[in-house]
Every structure is written in structure tokens, then in C-alpha cells.
Amino acid sequence: MLFLKLFRESFLFAFDALRQNKLRTMLSLLGVTIGIFTIIAVFSAVDTLRDNLQKSVDKLGNNSVYIQKWPWVSNGEFPWWKYMQRPVPKLHDFEQLQKRSQTTAAISYEIYIDSRTIKYKSQTVDGAQIGAVTQDHNKVWTFDFADGRYFTDIESRTGSPVAVIGHDIANDLFPGGTAVGKQIKIMGKYVTIIGVLTKEGNDMLGNSDDKLVLVPLKFAGDIIDVQNEKYGPQIVVRGKDGIPLEEVEGEMRGLMRSIHSLPPNQEDNFSLNEVTMLSNQLDIIFKVINTAGFFIGIFSILVGGFGIANIMFVSVKERTNIIGIQKSLGAKNYFILLQFLIESVILCLFGGCIGLGLVYLGTFAVKAAFDLAIVLYMKNIIAGVGTSVAIGIISGIVPAYSASRLDPVEAIRTN
């Protein structure tokens, strides 16, 4: 109880000293405020970017393998001249994988055709993306329906003239109306809309299904060569639940080498891509950004910490006479030390809170300007407050200790 009482008295002394020197207090806060603001702003920006990019990556599927001509990432050298000579995945590969795979829950063969015009009577939509896919596309990708349904197995196998369209296409062609059941013209053919996807908006990678039109691969195959390299054919494989992705990938590599009749000493002429490749690359990038932001913020805080230490030495000098009187009346050394140490911590804590407040207000400004929600996690708030307290203790400990060691007689004589 005695310690709590002394702590309260120390706090009141410190607060009164800060209140009486408002200008000096505000100048002292500035350095810490800038430092905390820099650190938390960088961490929050990185967390926001990471979360949005991770959501974009997660849409690709955490348990999916993409069999493609080109790899997503490369360790060091990127021998593009080798990759150019590779064949694109063929329908034969897809059919053989369907027959021989034991670890997969779904396999889809897909192509995408960009910048097509969609027509409904006199209405048109430009810049649509056509996706020609097989039956399991809805099992290897994640999307929701606002209305209607996906292809049936018979529609997919027979190449029925049906389509699933994105939200923006439905909204542009049928404003305020129902799209399901209507006929639109794509690639010179009429198709019946059987489903409308839920609105997504663009993700951080610029991907969106809002302007996508899905048709059965067999339907598109009657119009174009779906195995042509310009359409970027790919096979997407989703593993069964409970089977590690590494096992699925291992089986795919063995089957593809067997299908392509590759001898043991020959390199793969295909790429097996997966989401973890992108996630690992993101982790490396964000680690560098976090480290850079941390050091920038630390330098700012150090400048603020030196400023506070200087102010605290000035404060000790100004109150030397009062310290002598306090000690002559029986004040203990730790009471004097606490008095100045708490003053330093309060200064830094106020500066840190102002910095956090500026970051919080900044989240609303960014949201209003760019329609991007900035995340401010509790871990960042705790880090800001903790850093403020730590800087306060470090900056104030030497001035506080020197004040507590003053001789009362000499201190009283000081003018």
C-alpha cells in the first residue's frame, strides 16, 4: 500500500510538471509520435497487403495443383528458352489423369479467352473473359451463386449451349431484371444463362469473376481449338481431403512423366504449380518490408528518445532545489527516481497514443480515398504501446537516477 501511495504521488508530480510546461511537452512528444506512427503504419500497411494478397491466393485453392507449361516461380535462374519448348497440357493428358489418379477428388481442364464482347439484343458488354471448363471446375475453384446453378454432368459432356455469368455482366445486360433463362450471344453462338455468380470485386492481384462467362469445354471445342497455346490450357487438380498436397503433387509428377513417356534422366516438360509457392514468395517479400519499416521507425524513435532524455535532464536541472527540499523532508531515493521516470514514460506513452490515433484516423482516410480497408491488429497496438513505455524507461532512467542521487544540502543551495 505504501508503494502504491508513493507511486500515485510520483504520478501526480510528473503530471503536474508536464502540465506546467506544455510547449516543451508537445515538442518532446513529436519525435516519439512520428516514430510510433511510422512503425505501426508500416506494419498495418504490410498486414493489409498481406491479408488481401493471401485472400487472392487462397481463391486458387490450398489443396490444388496446377499443371501448366510455365512455372509460377523460379529459384534463381529462369531458363525461359527451355520452358518455351514445352508442350501445353492436352486433353489426352487430362483424360489419362482422370483414369489413373488415386489421390484426386476433382480434375478440371480449362482455357480462358480474354476481351470478348457479350450481346443480349441491343445491349453489349465489352472486355468479358470466357472460361471454357470441364465439369469439375466448380470443385477445384471456390465461388458462390447469386442465382441459378452450375452445369450438370450431361450439359458438360454434350457441350450444351449454356453459360454461367459474372455479376457485372448480369447487371449490365439485365439491369434490375433476372438473367437466368435469357439467351446471350458469345463467340457467334447463342447460349442460355443458367447461373449468375455472386459479386466479388477485384482482389489485390486484379482477379475477379465479375466479368467472367463460363461455358462447357465441349461447347467451346466446337468453335475453337481449345488445345491452342494462345488460350493458356491448364489442368487443375484438387486432392482428396486428408491427403497431403505433397502426395498429390508426387502422384501428378509420376503420372505426367508416364503419360509423356519421359525417360528417368530427362527433365519434366511441364510445371506443377501450387499456392504454397506464392505464399512462400509473399512471406519473403513481407519479411523484407517489415524489417525495413522496423528500422525506419526505430531510428525515428531513437531521435525522439534522445529528445526526451535531453528534456528530462533539463527538468532535473530546473527542479534541483525542489528535489533537495523533498529529500530533506524524508523523500526516499526511489520516490525521486519514480517521479522523473514516470514523467518520461508518460511523455512517451502520450506520444505513442497520438501516433496510434493518427494511424487509426489514417485507416478511415485510405478507406474513403481508395475503398481499401486497412487492418489495425491488436498486436500492432500492443507493440506501439509497449515500445512507447520501453523508450520512456530507457530515456528517463539516467536523468531519474541522477536526480535520485542528488545531495539534499547541495540541491537546496542550487538556484
Side-chain angles (χ1 to χ4, degrees), residues 189-325:
K189 300 285 186 178
Y190 284 98
V191 297
T192 302
I193 299 171
I194 60 172
V196 178
L197 300 176
T198 303
K199 184 172 180 59
E200 288 186 346
N202 288 329
D203 58 25
M204 292 295 291
L205 296 178
N207 298 323
S208 176
D209 290 338
D210 292 340
K211 299 199 74 172
L212 177 68
V213 177
L214 294 175
V215 296
L217 184 76
K218 182 71 168 56
F219 170 80
D222 294 335
I223 305 172
I224 60 173
D225 178 12
V226 296
Q227 299 183 95
N228 193 304
E229 184 173 351
K230 68 180 180 180
Y231 301 127
Q234 64 179 13
I235 299 173
V236 186
V237 177
R238 179 178 286 274
K240 294 179 180 178
D241 292 339
I243 295 181
L245 186 61
E246 294 78 10
E247 186 174 335
V248 177
E249 183 179 350
E251 186 196 41
M252 289 301 104
R253 174 167 280 108
L255 290 177
M256 286 295 292
R257 290 185 64 86
S258 173
I259 295 168
H260 287 188
S261 301
L262 298 178
N265 61 343
Q266 186 173 338
E267 293 182 1
D268 295 343
N269 61 352
F270 55 87
S271 292
L272 300 181
N273 298 314
E274 56 186 80
V275 173
T276 54
M277 293 178 177
L278 299 179
S279 298
N280 293 337
Q281 292 298 312
L282 290 178
D283 288 341
I284 295 172
I285 293 171
F286 288 129
K287 185 176 181 180
V288 174
I289 297 174
N290 268 330
T291 303
F294 176 77
F295 279 110
I296 292 171
I298 283 296
F299 281 121
S300 300
I301 287 180
L302 284 176
V303 172
F306 284 124
I308 286 177
N310 184 54
I311 292 298
M312 292 308 300
F313 276 116
V314 172
S315 182
V316 171
K317 184 70 175 177
E318 289 178 347
R319 289 150 55 187
T320 300
N321 187 266
I322 298 175
I323 294 171
I325 294 174

Side-chain angles (χ1 to χ4, degrees), residues 64-235:
S64 295
V65 177
Y66 293 76
I67 303 174
Q68 298 169 318
K69 176 178 179 176
W70 295 86
W72 288 352
V73 296
S74 179
N75 295 325
E77 184 184 4
F78 191 81
W80 56 268
W81 56 91
K82 291 183 180 180
Y83 301 145
M84 281 191 65
Q85 298 175 18
R86 290 177 173 180
V88 296
K90 301 293 186 180
L91 284 172
H92 173 71
D93 302 334
F94 165 70
E95 292 164 357
Q96 288 298 311
L97 290 176
Q98 277 188 313
K99 293 178 182 178
R100 299 162 62 176
S101 175
Q102 302 295 319
T103 63
T104 56
I107 305 177
S108 174
Y109 189 91
E110 309 173 352
I111 66 167
Y112 291 93
I113 312 164
D114 290 328
S115 299
R116 290 300 177 110
T117 299
I118 311 299
K119 296 182 179 180
Y120 174 73
K121 295 182 178 179
S122 61
Q123 302 286 337
T124 61
V125 173
D126 295 323
Q129 183 184 52
I130 310 298
V133 299
T134 53
Q135 177 62 24
D136 284 351
H137 175 77
N138 65 329
K139 297 177 182 177
V140 298
W141 290 81
T142 302
F143 50 81
D144 298 315
F145 283 89
D147 191 17
R149 60 175 177 81
Y150 187 66
F151 315 132
T152 64
D153 186 58
I154 294 177
E155 289 171 338
S156 182
R157 291 180 183 277
T158 59
S160 298
V162 293
V164 174
I165 64 175
H167 178 274
D168 286 356
I169 293 178
N171 192 55
D172 292 341
L173 293 181
F174 314 100
T178 301
V180 174
K182 304 288 177 50
Q183 282 194 329
I184 58 176
K185 192 174 184 180
I186 59 174
M187 297 189 295
K189 300 285 186 178
Y190 284 98
V191 297
T192 302
I193 299 171
I194 60 172
V196 178
L197 300 176
T198 303
K199 184 172 180 59
E200 288 186 346
N202 288 329
D203 58 25
M204 292 295 291
L205 296 178
N207 298 323
S208 176
D209 290 338
D210 292 340
K211 299 199 74 172
L212 177 68
V213 177
L214 294 175
V215 296
L217 184 76
K218 182 71 168 56
F219 170 80
D222 294 335
I223 305 172
I224 60 173
D225 178 12
V226 296
Q227 299 183 95
N228 193 304
E229 184 173 351
K230 68 180 180 180
Y231 301 127
Q234 64 179 13
I235 299 173

